Protein backbone atom coordinates (compact mmCIF):
# COMPACT_ATOMS: atom_id res chain seq x y z
CA UNK A 1 0.00 0.00 0.00
CA UNK A 2 1.53 3.35 -1.00
CA UNK A 3 2.24 5.91 1.71
CA UNK A 4 -0.24 8.79 1.83
CA UNK A 5 1.08 12.04 0.42
CA UNK A 6 1.93 14.60 3.07
CA UNK A 7 0.43 17.95 2.26
CA UNK A 8 0.07 21.24 4.10
CA UNK A 9 -3.48 22.32 4.77
CA UNK A 10 -4.52 25.74 5.86
CA UNK A 11 -8.08 26.65 6.74
CA UNK A 12 -9.45 29.56 4.75
CA UNK A 13 -9.21 32.79 6.71
CA UNK A 14 -11.94 34.68 4.90
CA UNK A 15 -15.17 33.82 3.14
CA UNK A 16 -13.55 34.72 -0.20
CA UNK A 17 -10.82 32.11 0.34
CA UNK A 18 -13.38 29.35 0.78
CA UNK A 19 -13.82 27.07 -2.24
CA UNK A 20 -16.74 27.63 -4.59
CA UNK A 21 -19.38 25.01 -5.38
CA UNK A 22 -20.45 22.15 -3.12
CA UNK A 23 -18.20 21.74 -0.08
CA UNK A 24 -17.66 18.07 -0.91
CA UNK A 25 -18.21 15.71 -3.77
CA UNK A 26 -21.92 15.01 -3.58
CA UNK A 27 -22.89 11.38 -3.29
CA UNK A 28 -19.68 10.24 -1.62
CA UNK A 29 -21.47 7.47 0.26
CA UNK A 30 -23.94 6.38 -2.41
CA UNK A 31 -24.37 7.11 -6.09
CA UNK A 32 -27.61 9.03 -5.76
CA UNK A 33 -29.91 9.28 -2.79
CA UNK A 34 -32.82 11.36 -4.04
CA UNK A 35 -35.12 8.37 -3.54
CA UNK A 36 -34.80 8.73 0.24
CA UNK A 37 -36.43 12.11 0.19
CA UNK A 38 -39.93 12.76 1.54
CA UNK A 39 -39.46 16.53 1.82
CA UNK A 40 -37.24 18.66 -0.38
CA UNK A 41 -35.50 21.87 0.65
CA UNK A 42 -36.46 24.93 -1.37
CA UNK A 43 -34.25 27.97 -0.95
CA UNK A 44 -36.10 31.28 -0.97
CA UNK A 45 -33.40 33.38 -2.53
CA UNK A 46 -34.94 36.71 -1.52
CA UNK A 47 -34.47 35.80 2.15
CA UNK A 48 -31.03 34.22 1.81
CA UNK A 49 -28.19 36.14 3.53
CA UNK A 50 -25.48 34.03 1.86
CA UNK A 51 -24.10 33.13 5.27
CA UNK A 52 -22.91 29.69 4.01
CA UNK A 53 -24.38 27.82 6.96
CA UNK A 54 -26.37 25.41 4.78
CA UNK A 55 -23.42 24.89 2.44
CA UNK A 56 -21.13 24.03 5.34
CA UNK A 57 -23.58 21.79 7.19
CA UNK A 58 -25.16 19.72 4.43
CA UNK A 59 -23.87 16.19 5.06
CA UNK A 60 -24.10 15.34 1.36
CA UNK A 61 -22.39 18.42 -0.05
CA UNK A 62 -25.56 18.94 -2.04
CA UNK A 63 -25.67 22.72 -1.76
CA UNK A 64 -23.88 24.68 -4.44
CA UNK A 65 -22.82 28.30 -4.10
CA UNK A 66 -21.11 28.61 -7.48
CA UNK A 67 -23.65 30.97 -8.99
CA UNK A 68 -25.37 34.09 -7.74
CA UNK A 69 -27.78 32.08 -5.59
CA UNK A 70 -27.36 28.99 -3.47
CA UNK A 71 -28.90 25.94 -5.14
CA UNK A 72 -29.59 22.34 -4.14
CA UNK A 73 -28.47 19.33 -6.17
CA UNK A 74 -31.62 17.24 -5.87
CA UNK A 75 -29.85 14.17 -7.25
CA UNK A 76 -27.93 13.91 -3.99
CA UNK A 77 -30.04 15.75 -1.39
CA UNK A 78 -31.58 13.15 0.90
CA UNK A 79 -34.04 15.58 2.45
CA UNK A 80 -32.71 15.45 5.99
CA UNK A 81 -33.77 19.05 6.63
CA UNK A 82 -30.58 20.04 8.44
CA UNK A 83 -30.08 23.02 6.14
CA UNK A 84 -33.60 24.30 6.81
CA UNK A 85 -33.30 23.81 10.57
CA UNK A 86 -30.00 25.67 10.79
CA UNK A 87 -30.68 28.48 8.31
CA UNK A 88 -30.60 31.66 10.45
CA UNK A 89 -32.79 33.53 7.95
CA UNK A 90 -35.43 30.79 7.73
CA UNK A 91 -34.87 30.96 3.98
CA UNK A 92 -35.22 27.23 3.36
CA UNK A 93 -38.65 25.63 3.27
CA UNK A 94 -39.07 21.86 3.39
CA UNK A 95 -41.74 21.07 0.81
CA UNK A 96 -43.37 17.65 0.59
CA UNK A 97 -42.38 15.75 -2.54
CA UNK A 98 -45.24 15.56 -4.99
CA UNK A 99 -47.15 18.36 -3.26
CA UNK A 100 -49.61 20.30 -5.40
CA UNK A 101 -47.89 22.94 -7.51
CA UNK A 102 -44.68 20.91 -7.83
S1 LIG B 1 -28.20 29.04 5.62
FE1 LIG B 1 -29.95 30.19 4.80
S2 LIG B 1 -29.28 32.32 4.74
FE2 LIG B 1 -27.44 31.05 4.96
S3 LIG B 1 -26.74 30.70 2.85
FE3 LIG B 1 -28.08 28.97 3.37
S4 LIG B 1 -30.13 29.59 2.63
FE4 LIG B 1 -28.86 31.43 2.72
S1 LIG C 1 -32.02 18.55 3.18
FE1 LIG C 1 -30.11 17.64 4.03
S2 LIG C 1 -29.15 16.66 2.28
FE2 LIG C 1 -30.66 18.07 1.43
S3 LIG C 1 -29.55 19.97 1.03
FE3 LIG C 1 -30.44 20.13 3.11
S4 LIG C 1 -28.83 19.42 4.50
FE4 LIG C 1 -28.29 18.71 2.42
Amino acid sequence: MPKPTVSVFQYPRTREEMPRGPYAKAGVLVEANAGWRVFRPVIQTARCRKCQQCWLLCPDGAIDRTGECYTVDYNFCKGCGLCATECPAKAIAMVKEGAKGE
Side-chain angles (χ1 to χ4, degrees), residues 41 58-60 62-63 72 77-83 94:
C58 173
D60 287 333
I63 293 182
V72 178
C77 163
K78 62 175 174 270
C80 67
L82 188 60
C83 54
M94 295 303 289

Side-chain angles (χ1 to χ4, degrees), residues 23 33 37 39-41 43 54 57-63 71-74 76-84 92 94:
Y23 83 94
N33 47 14
R37 209 170 47 234
F39 289 88
R40 68 164 57 200
I43 299 175
C54 55
L57 292 175
C58 173
D60 287 333
I63 293 182
T71 55
V72 178
D73 183 343
Y74 290 116
F76 294 100
C77 163
K78 62 175 174 270
C80 67
L82 188 60
C83 54
I92 304 178
M94 295 303 289

Side-chain angles (χ1 to χ4, degrees), residues 43 47-55 70 83 86-92:
I43 299 175
R47 298 185 75 159
C48 175
R49 301 176 194 162
K50 300 190 169 140
C51 69
Q52 308 186 130
Q53 198 74 326
C54 55
W55 177 76
Y70 284 59
C83 54
E86 295 302 325
C87 172
K90 301 289 173 228
I92 304 178

